[in-house]
Each structure stands twice: as structure tokens, then as C-alpha cells.
Amino acid sequence: MQNSKKHIKMNIFDNLKTTLINCFNDLYNKDITTETISFQYTREEFKGDITLVVFPLLRFTKKSIQESTKEIGDYFISNNKYTNGYNIIKGFLNFEISTTYWIKFLDNILPNKNFGYKQTNKDSDNIMIEYSSPNTNKPLHLGHIRNNLLGFSVSEIIKANGKNVIKVNLVNDRGIHICKSMLAWQKWGKNSTPESTNKKGDKFVGDYYVLFDKEYKKQVKELISQKIPENEAKKNAPLLLEAQEMLRKWENGDTQTVELWQKMNSWVYKGFDQTYKKLGIDFDKIYYESQTYKLGKQIVLDGLKKNILIKKDDGSIWADLTNDGLDQKLLLRNDGTSVYMTQDIGTAHQRFNEYNLSKHIYVVGNEQNYHFQVLKLILKKLNYNWADNIFHLSYGMVELPEGKMKSREGTVVDADDLIDEMIYTAKIKSQELGKLDGFSENEKNKIYQQLAMGALKYFILKVDPKRNMMFNPNESIDFNGNTGPFIQYSYVRIKSILRKAKQNNISTKTINEKIKICEKAKKIIKTLYKYPETINEAAKNYSPALIANYAYNLAKEYNQFYQEYQILKEKNKDLINFRLNLSKKTAEIIKSSLALLGIETPERM
RNA sequence: GGUCUAGUAGCUCAGUUGGAUAGAGCAACAGCCUUCUAAGCUGUGGGUCACAGGUUCGAAUCCUGUCUAGAUCACCA
């Protein structure tokens, strides 16, 4: 708490803004509001630290750009103790902030282990985030990986930004698709199990789903050859009728069917848990659709009573959204059963009531944009004041060179296969470099796994969630350049230095403010300075990509510094102390920012 | 057809309240390890920011139109 207070006091932008407001009062007798002020970090290629864009202020100064800029600059030199100098380029006023300020700032944050994080307390907002939400008839693929990593990372980022986060998973464990797997297993499974076939449970069940589809298509073809129209054939293939019968039995609670359903689902869960574990993601609460699919029905009936919804002649109930430029949406079938939308209305209502949520985020692919648009609109029409607090974190598809991944056509990148491949690549790469010789097999495997997941997670999370992204299975995910392992490597090198320092009994202490520091070091401090605002932006925009870019940038800057300057062999003791502190803090922030992406940092690699 | 999203270097991507000469990585080429871990660092080449207008001191960014790609418009979830 104290640290954050100090930090606020140390906020250089606020400080400059205050001076600027005073400046306009004193020089031009004008009150300017903070909104009209545009301070920004000075671009690399120019001298200076922070830039004031003077153009928008000309209407207050009523003087030429040259004159105004110079007057403001001079005012800062004599009235702002952190401003050491300035230069003017084309109406951009570049202030040079004193080195002492940056050193003081670094010294200030050294003891703060949670620098950049906002604390939560009992008054913090509750935010629920639903992600993953798999079907229990298909193994996880790369698209799910993106969903899972995004959901987890966004949760961590929002937590770091001072909110209570409740991570939930809504498992889609019921419906006709599950019955298809069940039926296929019953018919052709010969009582085999994942154990007896030595298969991962979700893969095992997934195979029967595929088998159903294959046999079903055969039947349809057969029927068509008997001159039955395609539509009819598809609807009346015996297998499909059997599956539908099974669903009815399940809904009526038929003991045998429910038992089979439970058995097969438990296999799938076991498989999913393995994959979740490998991905390093978790949930605070798991919902099952089999328990929630009837929710929302009452709400719909109430809506009908209040004439918000409409009933058609056949008895089905709809929301009419045509006045909002959308279509009509079915909410209850004429037999009284509910649909996907009905359930989502119900679960949202339940969750907002139960948890006093200030926001509910759904991490779901952009193919469902329409669904969530409709959901929100219906909730609004039903007069729920929290309707505006649901947010669809819509992310883009992962595309392969030949197009979108399609489970049924087998053009998917399997999650487990990909992870295993990555670990193998990490192992080969590491063995080539031979830096882990002498480690135990366990230690090595742990590191391979950390590097592999670092590469995979960074690869996915560095891309803006909103955008579709491309994955080419023929080009393996890189371990060099703008990658997770690059950032991990930077961390490892710092840790190596810190170990050496300890061996030589060099301990860090308060930094001497008067030392001269190089531009590279100053640049690193400035980047550290940006960490809190980066977390804030990432949370606001639900974008782990901002954190990923930040971490990469920090690591890159440190590597440049590392290359050019010796740390432990420097003669000046004050400089050693400064560089050691700088390195230590950089390592901490690298670790912290990677943690927000769910990426671990090994101590050696 | 309606709606929504996107189009930036050969490839994968940054570029977020409009700001300076549009940046990285990969790939290619040329350098740097007896010195804190070379999964690193330095350099070279590579761009009509899809196209055309508009708004203004200033546009990759905002607006309009066109082209291209994807998603969606289910009594599936």
C-alpha cells in the first residue's frame, strides 16, 4: 500500500501535467484541462524522455508554434525539478527527465515484490470469466488451446489489476452429440475401455464419435441409393433415430442410459484433466450443462407474461428482435424444451445473483458473435440491469494453411500431439546446446516442458485475441527471436549473474543517486516504469498480447545492455550495485509478466 | 442477399484516446564467443499500410465507397 502511494507521488506524467497547467495559468492566463494535454513517451530516434505535443495547445497560446514551444520549455526548466532540458522538433517538445528521477524510481520499487499489481480487498469487484467449455465428445485441439490460454491469462491479468476473479468452465456434457458416441460404443465398442486399449479417455470417446459419423454417412448413402431424397435420408437414417431415442431415454432418466453416459463422460474428464494440467490452467468452479440446461425456462415464461416475448401459433416462444435489426430468436420449443440461448439466459441470471458480479466475461470464439449479441439484447429487453455487464471476449480462429480447422474432416491440430511435439523439440534443441549436462532426468524434463510451453503459449498469446491467426504445422514453432524461450533465456542469464554475485558475497544495497548511468540502463528503467500501466491496459482491453509484447521488449532491451556492459567486472562499486539491482528487478518483472501469460521461468536452461 | 470482423515487408505478427522518418521476429546475406549462459548481440537488403475519396496543422489509425478473405444469419451446442 505504501509503495503504491509513493508510486502515485512519483508518477512523472501527473507531475508534468501539473506543471503544464500552472504554466498556462502563469504565461497565458488560461485554464487548461488534463484532457487537452497530450504527453507521451518520446520516440526512440529523438533525444529526450517525454514529449509534449504542442499543436493542440496553440489555440490557448495564440502564438506561433516556435514561440509557444520555447516558452513552455523554458517554463519547465525553471519550474519543474525533474525537467533537465528540452529540445524542439517540428512542434514536438521533448523533455529530458533527470537521471536522478529514474534512479530514485528504481530504488523506490526495489523492495516492492508486487510492483505493477493492484491489491485486492473485500470491496474489490467480482469478475467471473467462463472459458474452455468443451464438448465431451471431441478431444481438445489448437483452437481450444487458444481459448484456454486466453481465458487463463486474462484471468491472471485482471487479478493483477485488483479484481477478484472467478474462473469457471461450463462443460457441455449432454445432447444428441454425446448420444452419438454412446451409441457407437454400445454397438461396436465390445466393452473396451480407455484402460484396455491404452488410450486417453477423451481420444477414446472421440473415436466413437467419428465412427458414428462414418457409419451414419454410410446409411445415408445407402438410403439415397434407394431413391430417397437426401433430406429425408439424413433425417431418417436408423442410427440417427436410435441416437435420438437415446437422448429421450437420457432425459427421462433411464438408469442404463444415464449410467453409460456417466461412464463415458468420466473417461473424457480424465483425459481433459491431463491436458489442462499440461497446459497449466485451472478453474474455480465447473458447471455441467446437464445440470443447467433447464435453467432460463421460467425467465422466458415470465417474459412472455410481461409481453416482452411472443408466442407463435404452434406454441413456441420467441424473442422478436426485428426492430433492432436482428431476426426472431427461438427460446422455447413448442414441446416446452429449451435451447442453447435459454440456458445462457438462465445461467447468467443465476451467476449474477449468486456472486454479485460486476462483470461476466465469456471467452468464446468469434463465430458466436451473433449469439452473444442476441443474448445481451434479450437480457436487456427482459430488464436485467446487469445485461450491460456481460462481455463476450471474442477471439479469432486459428487457421491452417489450407483453411479453418474442421473436426469432422480431420484437419485439426490435436492439443496433446502438439504439446508433445513441442516438448520433443525443446529436448532436441537443449541437447544440442548441451547446457543441461549434469542435471537429473527429472530436472531436465521439467525444463523441457517449461520451454516447450513457453514457446507455445507465447506464440499464441502474443497475437491480438481479436484476430484470426495462422498456424503452419509444417513450420515448427520457433525457439529463437520473438519467442517465449527468448524471454525465458534473458531471465536465466540474469539469474546466473545473481548466483555469481552471491558466490562473491556481493549484496545489493540502496542505489547511489549521483552515479552516471548509460542510456541503455536508463531505457530499461523507463520500460520497468511502464509495467503498471501495461497491466492496466491489458486488463482494460482483455489483451494478453500487450503483456507479451511488453515482456519481449524488456528482455530485448536487457539483452542489449547485457551485451554491452559488464556487471560484476565493473570497477566502480556503486555501478556494480546499480547494475545488479537493475538486473534483479528486470528478472523479477520478466518473471512476473510471463506469469501473467501462464508461462513459467526456469532458473537454468 | 443482410450483419459483423479483418486486409501492414516473401512469411508470422506489433503499431489502443489521430502525432515525428511505419517497427519486430523468421527467412537471406555479413560480422561478434580464451571475458557474467551465442536459445544472445551488431549490421545490410526488404513497404503504394488492399484501393479510391473525405475530415485536419497532422491519418496505418476516424468517416464514406469499392475490392478481397473469413464468420454469422438453426426448433445444434
Side-chain angles (χ1 to χ4, degrees):
Chain A
M1 207 57 205
Q2 223 166 21
N3 275 317
S4 69
K5 250 186 200 162
K6 253 186 209 166
H7 177 63
I8 289 166
K9 216 168 104 194
M10 290 290 283
N11 187 310
I12 190 69
F13 284 92
D14 290 347
N15 183 295
L16 295 178
K17 271 181 190 169
T18 308
T19 307
L20 189 70
I21 289 170
N22 292 340
C23 167
F24 271 71
N25 262 317
D26 292 351
L27 294 187
Y28 311 109
N29 201 17
K30 290 267 160 53
D31 279 323
I32 55 170
T33 53
T34 42
E35 292 84 61
T36 57
I37 303 172
S38 166
F39 277 110
Q40 54 197 242
Y41 292 105
T42 303
R43 291 182 54 144
E44 288 280 325
E45 57 271 32
F46 303 102
K47 197 160 179 266
D49 300 302
I50 291 173
T51 295
L52 175 70
V53 185
V54 184
F55 296 107
L57 298 168
L58 291 181
R59 61 194 168 102
F60 298 111
T61 66
K62 303 249 166 70
K63 289 183 180 172
S64 77
I65 182 92
Q66 290 86 357
E67 235 179 309
S68 313
T69 314
K70 187 163 184 315
E71 283 178 2
I72 298 168
D74 288 340
Y75 184 91
F76 269 75
I77 296 297
S78 33
N79 292 285
N80 186 296
K81 61 174 172 172
Y82 295 129
T83 312
N84 258 12
Y86 69 87
N87 65 80
I88 301 163
I89 299 170
K90 288 201 271 184
F92 293 89
L93 179 50
N94 302 325
F95 288 114
E96 289 153 33
I97 304 302
S98 75
T99 306
T100 325
Y101 173 80
W102 297 115
I103 294 179
K104 264 190 190 160
F105 163 74
L106 176 62
D107 202 52
N108 230 305
I109 62 168
L110 286 177
N112 184 354
K113 291 283 170 221
N114 292 315
F115 174 64
Y117 284 44
K118 289 181 195 145
Q119 300 296 320
T120 52
N121 56 46
K122 58 180 183 337
D123 298 326
S124 302
D125 289 347
N126 293 329
I127 296 187
M128 183 171 279
I129 174 160
E130 178 188 301
Y131 68 104
S132 200
S133 305
N135 282 341
T136 55
N137 59 335
K138 284 177 222 154
L140 304 174
H141 60 65
L142 186 50
H144 299 113
I145 292 185
R146 190 176 195 192
N147 181 304
N148 287 316
L149 297 182
L150 268 176
F152 182 81
S153 179
V154 168
S155 304
E156 293 301 306
I157 290 167
I158 292 176
K159 260 192 244 174
N161 208 37
K163 317 278 188 205
N164 295 317
V165 174
I166 307 147
K167 293 178 278 188
V168 306
N169 187 359
L170 175 59
V171 179
N172 182 356
D173 62 345
R174 67 165 283 279
I176 187 76
H177 48 286
I178 312 297
C179 293
K180 290 176 181 175
S181 309
M182 285 159 61
L183 188 65
W185 183 82
Q186 224 173 30
K187 282 186 176 307
W188 303 295
K190 297 178 191 145
N191 274 317
S192 63
T193 64
E195 288 80 28
S196 77
T197 54
N198 202 16
K199 258 198 169 204
K200 208 161 152 276
D202 52 331
K203 300 279 163 58
F204 181 86
V205 173
D207 285 349
Y208 285 100
Y209 184 68
V210 173
L211 185 60
F212 175 95
D213 202 53
K214 213 174 103 191
E215 295 295 326
Y216 165 72
K217 275 184 180 146
K218 254 193 232 167
Q219 287 188 347
V220 172
K221 218 172 181 182
E222 176 75 29
L223 290 175
I224 291 174
S225 73
Q226 291 166 18
K227 305 245 160 67
I228 294 172
E230 192 178 337
N231 273 356
E232 293 293 307
K234 278 186 175 166
K235 270 190 209 158
N236 295 319
L239 268 178
L240 184 64
L241 297 179
E242 270 187 85
Q244 283 166 345
E245 174 58 25
M246 203 171 216
L247 182 61
R248 273 191 289 277
K249 275 185 176 172
W250 181 89
E251 297 206 348
N252 291 329
D254 175 71
T255 317
Q256 271 188 328
T257 310
V258 170
E259 269 171 19
L260 175 63
W261 171 79
Q262 280 168 341
K263 180 162 74 180
M264 292 189 72
N265 271 339
S266 75
W267 291 338
V268 174
Y269 298 149
K270 249 192 191 162
F272 281 173
D273 283 345
Q274 279 179 39
T275 309
Y276 285 150
K277 206 173 165 193
K278 276 196 267 185
L279 283 172
I281 62 160
D282 56 16
F283 305 95
D284 299 310
K285 178 158 184 158
I286 296 182
Y287 291 96
Y288 296 94
E289 226 183 87
S290 53
Q291 288 157 16
T292 61
Y293 77 103
K294 287 178 178 161
L295 289 175
K297 208 167 152 173
Q298 197 52 50
I299 295 173
V300 170
L301 293 174
D302 288 348
L304 181 66
K305 243 184 245 162
K306 292 178 189 153
N307 287 323
I308 299 167
L309 304 172
I310 53 170
K311 192 174 204 162
K312 292 208 174 172
D313 292 342
D314 68 350
S316 55
I317 302 177
W318 298 69
D320 186 359
L321 308 173
T322 44
N323 285 339
D324 301 277
L326 301 173
D327 295 323
Q328 295 191 332
K329 185 74 195 173
L330 176 85
L331 294 177
L332 279 180
R333 299 187 183 98
N334 59 6
D335 62 3
T337 57
S338 55
V339 293
Y340 180 37
M341 186 62 76
T342 325
Q343 179 192 212
D344 270 0
I345 292 170
T347 53
H349 178 260
Q350 189 193 45
R351 291 173 188 180
F352 271 93
N353 275 346
E354 196 177 340
Y355 288 96
N356 184 27
L357 302 175
S358 67
K359 188 147 238 151
H360 189 338
I361 300 165
Y362 296 84
V363 184
V364 180
N366 62 14
E367 53 203 350
Q368 292 196 35
N369 284 353
Y370 183 74
H371 172 79
F372 281 98
Q373 196 188 348
V374 170
L375 174 65
K376 201 164 176 170
L377 193 53
I378 293 178
L379 289 172
K380 267 192 187 174
K381 284 190 182 294
L382 291 169
N383 284 322
Y384 290 112
N385 53 11
W386 42 261
D388 276 321
N389 298 331
I390 68 172
F391 176 77
H392 175 206
L393 175 45
S394 157
Y395 63 90
M397 299 289 101
V398 182
E399 286 166 359
L400 302 174
E402 57 275 14
K404 206 194 155 189
M405 287 192 281
K406 288 184 184 125
S407 302
R408 264 181 244 137
E409 288 165 34
T411 55
V412 291
V413 176
D414 181 78
D416 298 303
D417 292 352
L418 179 61
I419 292 170
D420 291 345
E421 224 172 274
M422 295 290 298
I423 293 175
Y424 179 73
T425 312
K427 184 174 175 177
I428 297 297
K429 177 104 187 155
S430 186
Q431 282 173 346
E432 275 170 16
L433 294 169
K435 290 180 186 175
L436 295 180
D437 299 345
F439 279 64
S440 76
E441 280 307 305
N442 268 347
E443 287 171 319
K444 282 195 218 169
N445 285 332
K446 173 84 182 155
I447 294 172
Y448 300 152
Q449 195 247 339
Q450 287 174 325
L451 296 176
M453 294 315 293
L456 176 60
K457 290 181 178 182
Y458 186 85
F459 175 80
I460 287 172
L461 292 177
K462 76 169 176 181
V463 181
D464 187 313
K466 290 193 292 286
R467 294 174 58 129
N468 288 359
M469 63 180 291
M470 174 66 76
F471 175 78
N472 189 343
N474 299 322
E475 297 168 13
S476 53
I477 293 174
D478 240 303
F479 284 72
N480 299 322
N482 187 354
T483 67
F486 168 90
I487 303 168
Q488 289 169 318
Y489 178 70
S490 312
Y491 175 82
V492 165
R493 287 216 291 203
I494 298 177
K495 292 308 268 194
S496 177
I497 293 173
L498 297 178
R499 275 195 302 273
K500 290 234 156 72
K502 207 172 173 188
Q503 278 169 22
N504 299 338
N505 285 319
I506 305 171
S507 55
T508 49
K509 49 182 192 287
T510 306
I511 303 169
N512 180 349
E513 285 172 19
K514 298 208 174 79
I515 54 165
K516 261 186 105 72
I517 63 172
C518 61
E519 280 303 309
K520 287 258 161 69
K522 196 164 117 185
K523 209 165 124 189
I524 295 172
I525 300 177
K526 282 199 259 179
T527 304
L528 295 176
Y529 182 88
K530 292 179 193 169
Y531 189 47
E533 64 196 65
T534 305
I535 293 181
N536 192 41
E537 280 295 297
K540 227 169 65 190
N541 296 299
Y542 310 100
S543 174
L546 296 177
I547 300 290
N549 281 326
Y550 174 84
Y552 173 66
N553 196 30
L554 179 60
K556 197 174 152 68
E557 276 166 11
Y558 185 83
N559 278 333
Q560 290 168 355
F561 170 75
Y562 175 94
Q563 202 75 21
E564 202 171 324
Y565 299 93
Q566 299 275 334
I567 291 162
L568 297 174
K569 289 183 181 154
E570 167 62 41
K571 290 192 187 90
N572 181 333
K573 287 245 168 77
D574 280 340
L575 261 187
I576 293 185
N577 180 55
F578 165 71
R579 288 179 186 168
L580 220 44
N581 272 318
L582 180 65
S583 302
K584 203 169 160 186
K585 202 65 203 175
T586 303
E588 272 176 32
I589 303 299
I590 288 178
K591 190 185 178 108
S592 159
S593 52
L594 286 183
L596 293 179
L597 304 176
I599 297 176
E600 295 178 31
T601 31
E603 296 297 303
R604 295 166 203 263
M605 63 189 273

